[in-house]
Each structure stands twice: as structure tokens, then as C-alpha cells.
């Protein structure tokens, strides 16, 4: 049996941009992606702590050390610049592997979105 578990989480980052006229996705500072073990094109769940919205999209890397967290396309309507977000990815794995799996949890600076 396989189950789906949290693979990685970037906890409490600020939305830095909302670009409606874009093809879609979320742009994430590549340093944050690396720290959270998230790859380009990976499905990401976005939880907006300010308005309760939850949505899924795929990620693209943003400039390193920029702190960029930009929602693109239709997802831009679900956030406002400055909203506090949690970004989560999930993975399927065998039940026994899941019991000992440790997700990559990242807690960036809440004011800058940069790694401490």
C-alpha cells in the first residue's frame, strides 16, 4: 500500500507578487526550492493564512537570494502582496517507508523570505 505524505514545506513566507497576465504557476526563490527539496515543475499546494484560500499549481524557480514568492496566472486572484503563505508538496510512498520518512521543513525569515 502507498500513502501520500508531506514531502516538504516552506512555512510562512510573504507573497511578493501577483501576476495575472502570466501562463500560470508560482515563482519561488530557487534557494528556498533547494532547501525544501522542491524541483521545477513540481506540484505545490499553496495555503493562504490571510484569506483561507488553498490552491495547487506548479513551481518555477525565481532568482536566488531574492525572496520572491509570486503567484502567476489565475492563482494571482487568490492572493494579495504581503499575504502569509505556506507552500507544501506531497509524495506517495510505501507505508513502511512513510513511517520513518522525514520531510524537508523550511522556516525562512518572515520579513524577507530569505534563509537564515
Amino acid at each position: 500500500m502507498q500513502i501520500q505524505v508531506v514531502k516538504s514545506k516552506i512555512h510562512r513566507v510573504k507573497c511578493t507578487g501577483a501576476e495575472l497576465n502570466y501562463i500560470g504557476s508560482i515563482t519561488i526563490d530557487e534557494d528556498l526550492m533547494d532547501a525544501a527539496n522542491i524541483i521545477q515543475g513540481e506540484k505545490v499546494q499553496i495555503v493562504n493564512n490571510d484569506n483561507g484560500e488553498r490552491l495547487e499549481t506548479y513551481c518555477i524557480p525565481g532568482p536566488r537570494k531574492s525572496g520572491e514568492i509570486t503567484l502567476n496566472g489565475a492563482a494571482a486572484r487568490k492572493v494579495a502582496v504581503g499575504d502569509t503563505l505556506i507552500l507544501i508538496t506531497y509524495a506517495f510512498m510505501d507505508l513502511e517507508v512513510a513511517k520513518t520518512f522525514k520531510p524537508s521543513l523550511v522556516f525562512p525569515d518572515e520579513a524577507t523570505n530569505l534563509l537564515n
Side-chain angles (χ1 to χ4, degrees), residues 7-8 10 26 28 30 32-44 57-61 89:
K7 176 184 145 288
S8 51
I10 302 174
I26 182 172
I28 304 171
E30 196 166 3
L32 294 175
M33 289 177 60
D34 288 349
N37 196 26
I38 298 172
I39 63 168
Q40 181 173 342
E42 187 169 355
K43 181 177 169 180
V44 178
T57 189
Y58 62 95
C59 62
I60 59 175
T89 65

Side-chain angles (χ1 to χ4, degrees), residues 6 13 22 32 35-36 61 71 75 84 90 97 102 104 114:
V6 173
V13 287
Y22 192 83
L32 294 175
L71 275 291
T84 300
Y90 300 90
V97 172
K102 301 293 184 221
S104 298
L114 299 176

Side-chain angles (χ1 to χ4, degrees), residues 42-107:
E42 187 169 355
K43 181 177 169 180
V44 178
Q45 180 183 45
I46 297 117
V47 179
N48 187 328
N49 279 9
D50 291 305
N51 66 17
E53 290 283 354
R54 288 178 173 255
L55 62 114
E56 294 177 340
T57 189
Y58 62 95
C59 62
I60 59 175
R64 291 185 182 278
K65 299 189 184 354
S66 67
E68 182 176 359
I69 303 290
T70 300
L71 275 291
N72 302 305
R77 295 199 184 275
K78 305 288 187 178
V79 298
V81 172
D83 282 356
T84 300
L85 309 176
I86 299 171
L87 313 178
I88 309 164
T89 65
Y90 300 90
F92 287 99
M93 58 188 71
D94 290 331
L95 179 62
E96 292 306 311
V97 172
K99 288 179 180 180
T100 59
F101 177 76
K102 301 293 184 221
S104 298
L105 306 176
V106 178
F107 299 89

